[in-house]
Amino acid sequence: MWKILIIALACIVLYKLVTNDRGVKAKADQKEQDRKVARGEMVKDPICGSYVDVEGSISVKDGTKNHVFCSYECRQKFLDELEKGGREIPRLTQNQADEEE
């Protein structure tokens, strides 16, 4: 009987340690993201709302504003919205697209 009680107690303690550790890490990651946003190192994707690193990201320059995206799909949705609004978007030729990659 004592063995079962001790094993159950050990399982509960281990469970609490593991789940609490994940919560602490998630809070630390959120604080780091908040710091990067405050410093201007991360910006919000205008389409899906996720935060993206400014340096290694997909971007579109619109006049003086630089829009940053998390994926090519979000960038394409943004360009499609601009076209629906009456803006003319220059298209890349196949050679230009190959050079970007």
Side-chain angles (χ1 to χ4, degrees), residues 16-80:
K16 290 291 186 180
L17 286 173
V18 170
T19 57
N20 188 29
D21 186 43
R22 279 190 267 157
V24 170
K25 182 166 175 41
K27 287 178 185 177
D29 289 345
Q30 182 62 40
K31 285 182 181 181
E32 180 62 25
Q33 180 179 340
D34 292 344
R35 281 189 221 111
K36 285 183 176 183
V37 169
R39 289 188 304 243
E41 295 174 9
M42 292 184 82
V43 294
K44 193 172 188 179
D45 183 322
I47 298 300
C48 67
S50 64
Y51 283 92
V52 186
D53 186 12
V54 174
E55 294 299 318
S57 58
I58 304 161
S59 62
V60 170
K61 188 166 187 159
D62 183 26
T64 59
K65 181 135 174 85
N66 195 26
H67 300 279
V68 181
F69 304 95
C70 65
S71 66
Y72 288 106
E73 290 82 15
C74 284
R75 181 187 73 166
Q76 190 58 47
K77 286 179 186 178
F78 179 78
L79 293 174
D80 292 343

Side-chain angles (χ1 to χ4, degrees), residues 92-101:
L92 294 177
T93 64
Q94 186 61 39
N95 291 338
Q96 289 172 325
D98 291 339
E99 288 174 7
E100 278 193 358
E101 294 175 357

Side-chain angles (χ1 to χ4, degrees), residues 4-18:
I4 295 173
L5 185 60
I6 291 173
I7 291 173
L9 185 60
C11 289
I12 291 171
V13 169
L14 285 174
Y15 175 77
K16 290 291 186 180
L17 286 173
V18 170

